[in-house]
Each structure stands twice: as C-alpha cells, then as structure tokens.
C-alpha cells in the first residue's frame, strides 16, 4: 500500500504537471477496499512507514471496513510514494520513491498467519517478489494460504521500472505462476511474458495456462475481458464510459470477480454464471475510470448494479 501522487491536470508529463493530488493506492490494497465497498469482507497484509502517510493509509483501510490487523509499521523506513502521470489518452506513466520503502521490508516473522488461514481467497501481485525480506514473506504467506486450502489469486501487475531488468521481471513473475488458482493478466502482460507473441491469439494465451489453474482472465480495458478454464473460454463485453483516469480499473475488476467467487466458488465450473460475474466485474472496472485515483473511485455494489441495468437498457 502506498500513496499515488496524481497530477491535477491530465495529459502532461511529470515535469510539466503544476500540482499533484495525493491518492491512496497499491494494487492489493485497492482490491481489499474494492471488495469491502462491494459488501464483501477483506483484510490487508503489508507494511507502511511509521509516518503521517502510513497512519493515513491505515485509517483509510479502517474507514473502508478493511481488516488491518495484518498491517505493520516500520520506524526506519518511509511509506512508499509513486508519482503517476495521466497522458492525454488516460494511460499512465510511473515514477517510484522506494529507497527502500517500508513495504519492501515486511518480514516473514511479521505475518499474521491466522488471518491468512481464515480467508477464502488470498490475493497478491508480483511487486512484493522484487526484494528481500518481502519476497520471503510473500512466499511464506502464499504457502500458508495454500496449506490452509485457500484459493490463490494472482495479478502480476507488471511495473517494469521497479525491477532490475526486464529479464528479472519475467523470471520473477513466472516463478510463482504455477501455484495460483486464479490469474488475471492484461494484454500487455501477455506480450511481455511470451516475449512479444500476439495477446489476442488463444493459442498464445493457452501457453500461460498451467495444469493447476482454474481460471485465467485477460483484461482488455474498455473492450472487457476474456476468460479461460480447462472446460471453456470466451469473452465478455465491457461497459462503455468516459475515461478520466485508468488507475485502479484492473484492481476494481479483480475485486468484482473475487467478491463473487468468495460467495460461491462453483462459479468456476458454470460458464453462464461465470459470465454474469465477469459482467459485474467489468462494470466495477468501468466505473473506476470515471474518477481520479484508485481507492476514491472504487464503486459500491449499488452503483455497479445500477450501471449494469443502464447498460442493458
């Protein structure tokens, strides 16, 4: 979990932006808040600095009904910051301040294993794999979840500037690929992981499907998503909106998917119900791009159902 600084004026580079608005962010934290906003139950595990921003982020989790028992505060490192520019097309560029930041310093000994064991789903990204001690903490948490029979959900969330090299990013992301039950990737991530192959080709996507995987989701922004299971595959159209800021759209989509999966895992075996769940998830992502920042823009269940009704009309 970190603070995103988003320019108040879209379409400018970081150097040109006259002012920035601070917005709480960080992909797994976005997903946790997204699920709580949709009426689900979520907890966050991670580390922030023992500083004003760290306390602010802890308060944001509490205000959004996310269990923060697994959050730790580091007295010797600052809360991570990211400056995010929105280009004219609403897409983003990142500049990170982590030298090292508190999130990189979470240790295995600091994990709340009871919290993990009680979950139905354990969701994570790849950024926590980049450096020690956080990498070991991540692997230990995932193992504890797997051992407890918890569903593992993985969104690699590629952020190349944070990795030492493109090769290390590819290796790092794929190093835990085989353990996940549910994986969500974007078209760009498919191209990256397959070293430039066509992300729209089903046979290319199927290469990323491992024997233990139960659901592979490919997000395509405003176009919606594709889904792949052992038995079936298809595509679900997106909900059309006017994009202001794409930050957090993928996380909102994940929150929409996981909030329904937590209620009923058998969705994974029933294509019609899975399609309904993904329609809901697409609407979650669409509503999030209509406002600036990730967490401030995450929708309520009512707003999503309302958007779905309107899109049908």
């Amino acid at each position: 979990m970190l603070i995103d600084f988003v320019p108040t004026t879209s379409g400018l580079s970081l150097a040109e932006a006259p002012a920035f608005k601070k917005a709480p962010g960080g992909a797994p934290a976005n997903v946790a808040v997204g699920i709580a906003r949709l009426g689900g139950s979520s907890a966050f595990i991670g580390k922030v600095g023992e500083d004003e921003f760290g306390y602010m982020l802890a308060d944001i989790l509490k205000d959004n009904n996310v269990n923060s028992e697994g959050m730790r505060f580091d007295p010797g490192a600052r809360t991570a910051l990211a400056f995010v520019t929105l280009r004219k097309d609403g897409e983003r560029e990142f500049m990170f301040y982590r030298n090292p930041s508190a999130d990189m310093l979470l240790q295995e000994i600091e994990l709340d294993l009871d919290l993990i064991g009680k979950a139905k789903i354990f969701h994570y990204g790849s950024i926590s794999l980049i450096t020690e001690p956080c990498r070991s903490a991540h692997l230990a948490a995932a193992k504890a979840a797997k051992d407890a029979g918890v569903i593992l959900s993985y969104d690699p969330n590629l952020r190349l500037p944070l990795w030492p090299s493109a090769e290390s990013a590819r290796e790092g992301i794929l190093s835990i690929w085989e353990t996940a039950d549910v994986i969500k990737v974007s078209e760009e991530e498919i191209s990256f992981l397959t070293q430039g192959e066509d992300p729209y080709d089903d046979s290319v996507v199927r290469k990323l499907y491992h024997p233990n995987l139960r659901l592979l989701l490919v997000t395509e922004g405003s176009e919606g998503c594709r889904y792949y299971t052992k038995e079936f595959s298809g595509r679900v159209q997106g909900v059309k909106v006017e994009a202001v800021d794409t930050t957090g759209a993928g996380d909102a989509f994940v929150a929409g998917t996981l909030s329904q999966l937590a209620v009923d895992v058998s969705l994974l075996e029933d294509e019609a119900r899975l399609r309904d769940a993904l329609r809901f998830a697409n609407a979650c992502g669409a509503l999030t791009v209509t406002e600036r920042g990730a967490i401030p823009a995450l929708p309520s269940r009512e707003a999503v159902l309302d958007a779905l009704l309107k899109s049908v009309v």
Side-chain angles (χ1 to χ4, degrees):
M1 196 175 190
L2 51 82
I3 310 268
D4 284 328
F5 282 87
V6 188
T8 51
T9 314
S10 297
L12 297 174
S13 70
L14 282 178
E16 294 164 335
F20 294 86
K21 177 187 172 197
K22 68 178 192 295
N30 294 343
V31 172
V33 172
I35 286 166
R37 288 253 175 101
L38 295 168
S41 162
S42 62
F44 174 75
I45 290 175
K47 202 173 202 185
V48 291
E50 204 172 278
D51 52 36
E52 284 297 313
F53 283 151
Y55 293 124
M56 179 192 121
L57 293 176
D59 286 343
I60 282 160
L61 290 181
K62 291 192 189 96
D63 293 347
N64 283 282
N65 300 312
V66 176
N67 178 326
S68 59
E69 286 168 27
M71 199 164 190
R72 302 289 176 259
F73 296 87
D74 196 303
R78 293 277 185 223
T79 300
L81 309 179
F83 285 80
V84 186
T85 66
L86 309 172
R87 297 200 310 253
K88 286 191 171 64
D89 57 6
E91 281 305 317
R92 299 161 299 158
E93 293 168 349
F94 292 88
M95 187 158 84
F96 293 92
Y97 283 74
R98 342 163 60 219
N99 187 24
S101 51
D103 61 299
M104 300 159 73
L105 302 174
L106 181 70
Q107 298 175 53
E108 188 178 334
I109 194 172
E110 295 175 305
L111 293 173
D112 188 331
L113 296 175
D114 287 346
L115 203 54
I116 294 169
K118 281 190 286 206
K120 285 189 179 153
I121 301 170
F122 178 63
H123 176 72
Y124 48 87
S126 69
I127 291 171
S128 44
L129 295 170
I130 299 173
T131 48
E132 291 291 358
C134 189
R135 179 183 160 80
S136 293
H138 173 128
L139 297 175
K143 184 182 184 309
K146 197 81 169 167
D147 292 348
V150 178
I151 291 170
L152 267 55
S153 161
Y154 183 24
D155 175 0
N157 218 357
L158 176 67
R159 296 285 176 264
L160 264 181
L162 293 178
W163 292 86
S165 66
E167 200 39 60
S168 66
R170 198 176 290 109
E171 263 176 45
I173 286 169
L174 292 174
S175 69
I176 59 167
W177 199 259
E178 307 282 319
T179 56
D181 300 294
V182 177
I183 295 177
K184 182 280 239 198
V185 281
S186 66
E187 305 140 280
E188 299 85 16
E189 285 160 351
I190 291 171
S191 295
F192 176 75
L193 293 171
T194 58
Q195 307 211 30
E197 292 189 54
D198 180 4
Y200 299 101
D201 181 339
D202 280 355
S203 64
V204 170
V205 178
R206 281 280 176 193
K207 285 184 195 170
L208 293 172
Y209 201 96
H210 65 75
N212 306 316
L213 195 56
R214 297 173 72 181
L215 176 63
L216 177 63
L217 294 167
V218 181
T219 51
E220 302 182 342
S222 60
E223 296 303 310
C225 67
R226 279 175 282 159
Y227 57 89
Y228 300 82
T229 74
K230 284 189 186 71
E231 278 75 41
F232 48 77
S233 62
R235 117 177 290 128
V236 179
Q237 284 298 317
V239 177
K240 294 285 179 270
V241 291
E242 202 60 50
V244 174
D245 174 11
T246 56
T247 310
D251 300 326
F253 171 86
V254 171
T257 305
L258 299 185
S259 66
Q260 296 173 91
L261 198 52
V263 175
D264 186 3
V265 178
S266 69
L267 277 177
L268 296 173
E269 276 75 55
D270 182 335
E271 187 168 11
R273 283 164 58 232
L274 178 64
R275 287 181 66 85
D276 283 343
L278 294 176
R279 224 168 261 120
F280 180 90
N282 281 344
C284 292
L287 288 174
T288 303
V289 307
T290 60
E291 280 184 54
R292 285 183 200 278
I295 286 177
L298 294 165
S300 67
R301 186 175 179 78
E302 294 69 36
V304 176
L305 294 173
D306 192 40
L308 284 172
L309 270 177
K310 284 185 182 138
S311 72
V312 172
V313 174

